[in-house]
Amino acid sequence: MYQYTENEDGKIGLHDCRTTHMSYENQTLSFDFPEGFYILNEDEPERSGISKMKCHIIDEDIDGISIYIYREDPSGMVIRED
């Protein structure tokens, strides 16, 4: 599984990536990405493969984070829930 820390040169991109599970436990917000996410290097972006992202929440108030939930309807159209 790909592991990323803040002090690495590469960055990650979540555009067009889908998570299948998220949880919040012990001040850690976790997301599972079965298809991975993008690793943005100086060259071409590459996929990480199966990955989990963990965001450690330092303060009890979670400010500045927007989470949108999308569901797929029976016809295959993806719809955002508000």
Side-chain angles (χ1 to χ4, degrees):
M1 185 176 297
Y2 178 77
Q3 292 187 359
Y4 166 82
T5 58
E6 287 182 32
N7 58 358
E8 291 184 26
D9 291 338
K11 305 293 180 194
I12 59 171
L14 299 177
H15 191 275
D16 292 334
C17 296
R18 292 185 183 191
T19 182
T20 55
H21 181 262
M22 77 177 192
S23 62
Y24 182 71
E25 185 177 335
N26 298 325
Q27 290 187 276
T28 302
L29 184 59
S30 300
F31 301 90
D32 294 340
F33 294 91
E35 297 176 2
F37 43 75
Y38 294 100
I39 304 166
L40 309 174
N41 297 315
E42 290 181 17
D43 301 322
E44 293 293 315
E46 57 185 271
R47 286 288 243 191
S48 64
I50 297 171
S51 298
K52 177 181 284 251
M53 174 183 283
K54 293 183 178 182
C55 304
H56 300 284
I57 309 302
I58 297 170
D59 192 352
E60 289 192 25
D61 293 328
I62 302 176
D63 294 330
I65 295 176
S66 297
I67 298 174
Y68 299 102
I69 298 173
Y70 293 80
R71 300 216 188 268
E72 196 169 317
D73 72 7
S75 70
M77 180 175 278
V78 178
I79 302 169
R80 184 174 113 183
E81 295 182 359
D82 290 319

